[in-house]
Amino acid sequence: MKNVFTSFLMGLGLFLIPNTSLCQASNLISFNIRYDNTSDTINNWNKRKASLAKLIQHYDADIIGIQEGLHHQVDYLDNALIGHSYVGVGRDDGQQKGEYSAIFYNTDSFKVIKTNTFWLSETPEKVSVGWDASMERICTYALFENVRTKRQFYVFNTHFDHRGMQARINSAELIYKKIKEINTSDLPVFLMGDLNLTPYTQPIQFLKKHLTDAMEISKKPFYGPIGTFNGFDQDRVMENRIDYIFVNNIEVLSYTHLDDRMPNNMHISDHLPVLITVKD
């Protein structure tokens, strides 16, 4: 009789658990993976790539926006991340040449409804260098549908120029303009990427005016180093936050800068990945 009563109480307890603890959630990562530069020597891609893929798998990332990935790096991740696929093109030719701002996604959980890439320039529909930028810069986006809930949302992934200040100002304005033009149904939106700007600069303040910095609305307190750039320096105090995830119409459960390292304490990339957990 005691066992029956105990089972009854355990079953009753399940019904008394708040709905918030039973909610479905997804993990998203923005990660500048550092392009395969042969001059990186001890930090070269071949020494980092397995740890990078392992990190993404460990945190059960459902959607991953990468920056700086060359085609062979994107191809490596496409093979290493079982159950994922990706969208995106190389910025130099709109095909496979140059760095990608690719978006990987869990194919069991999400499907792509549509996707495209535009250039951060005066002529966004074609390969081009914008304003005072040092090179081609792009934004890749996709409309996803959650296969379980049928909820749809957009993910925009980008990498701003590291030199041209006017290019960064105009890139922020262009991306927001594109979001308004593309997202005519006012669906939830994620904007992620390496923006090469600290929080109080004009372009970041512009984006915060029109979207929401996911760090600021996280249900759990922010965790990790405040900065995201480490420059492969193991002893560096990371103070410069230049990687972000902005949202609109999204409930953010947690926001973390991941300072995971390889067994030898070397950094996995010269940037830290940004991880957010959101309510589906």
Side-chain angles (χ1 to χ4, degrees):
M1 186 66 182
K2 180 179 178 180
N3 289 339
V4 173
F5 183 68
T6 300
S7 299
F8 170 76
L9 289 178
M10 292 177 62
L12 180 62
L14 291 175
F15 287 101
L16 296 177
I17 296 173
N19 288 337
T20 54
S21 66
L22 294 175
C23 74
Q24 297 290 325
S26 297
N27 295 328
L28 293 87
I29 285 178
S30 178
F31 199 177
N32 182 326
I33 67 171
R34 173 66 175 176
Y35 76 100
D36 186 3
N37 184 343
T38 54
S39 67
D40 283 342
T41 59
I42 61 173
N43 297 302
N44 75 72
W45 170 249
N46 286 328
K47 293 184 178 181
R48 301 185 289 111
K49 62 185 182 181
S51 294
L52 195 148
K54 185 178 180 180
L55 179 149
I56 293 171
Q57 293 167 325
H58 174 76
Y59 287 100
D60 293 323
D62 299 290
I63 292 179
I64 311 101
I66 68 163
Q67 301 88 41
E68 289 199 19
L70 299 175
H71 182 72
H72 69 277
Q73 293 175 282
V74 173
D75 191 53
Y76 171 83
L77 289 176
D78 190 35
N79 287 298
L81 301 178
I82 305 302
H84 287 69
S85 188
Y86 77 92
V87 297
V89 297
R91 69 187 185 189
D92 290 5
D93 64 355
Q95 297 181 53
Q96 296 183 357
K97 186 179 178 182
E99 296 175 12
Y100 286 58
S101 289
I103 305 171
F104 287 82
Y105 62 98
N106 183 328
T107 54
D108 289 333
S109 301
F110 303 101
K111 67 178 181 180
V112 175
I113 305 301
K114 65 178 179 180
T115 183
N116 206 348
T117 294
F118 58 88
W119 277 256
L120 304 182
S121 76
E122 300 92 327
T123 53
E125 70 284 352
K126 64 181 182 180
V127 179
S128 49
V129 177
W131 308 288
D132 59 348
S134 60
M135 59 191 70
E136 296 88 352
R137 298 291 183 177
I138 57 175
C139 179
T140 292
Y141 70 89
L143 173 61
F144 290 101
E145 182 175 283
N146 185 310
V147 299
R148 179 179 55 83
T149 66
K150 306 305 178 184
R151 186 187 188 205
Q152 295 186 348
F153 58 92
Y154 281 96
V155 176
F156 289 75
N157 180 37
T158 192
H159 186 187
F160 283 7
D161 198 67
H162 64 301
R163 292 183 180 173
M165 190 61 225
Q166 193 60 49
R168 283 174 277 181
I169 292 170
N170 292 352
S171 292
E173 294 176 354
L174 174 63
I175 288 177
Y176 181 63
K177 178 184 176 183
K178 286 287 188 180
I179 289 173
K180 289 194 298 182
E181 291 175 354
I182 294 165
N183 185 22
T184 55
S185 299
D186 196 28
L187 295 170
V189 172
F190 297 88
L191 168 60
M192 59 176 61
D194 171 6
L195 304 188
N196 274 311
L197 292 159
T198 52
Y200 292 101
T201 52
Q202 180 182 338
I204 299 300
Q205 290 299 305
F206 171 84
L207 290 173
K208 288 176 69 171
K209 180 180 178 180
H210 298 285
L211 300 169
T212 301
D213 182 349
M215 178 189 283
E216 297 181 357
I217 61 168
S218 172
K219 302 293 184 184
K220 290 183 178 180
F222 164 76
Y223 186 80
I226 192 62
T228 58
F229 183 71
N230 61 64
F232 286 124
D233 183 346
Q234 295 168 258
D235 301 317
R236 185 181 191 135
V237 177
M238 287 172 277
E239 298 176 324
N240 291 326
R241 182 188 181 205
I242 60 175
D243 301 85
Y244 300 84
I245 300 179
F246 292 92
V247 297
N248 189 41
N249 296 329
I250 302 288
E251 184 175 346
V252 180
L253 304 178
S254 66
Y255 194 108
T256 307
H257 292 162
L258 299 172
D259 191 14
D260 294 31
R261 305 195 186 189
M262 295 187 286
N264 59 5
N265 200 40
M266 300 289 283
H267 286 289
I268 296 173
S269 177
D270 60 345
H271 289 243
L272 302 186
V274 180
L275 167 68
I276 68 170
T277 301
V278 302
K279 185 176 179 181
D280 284 348

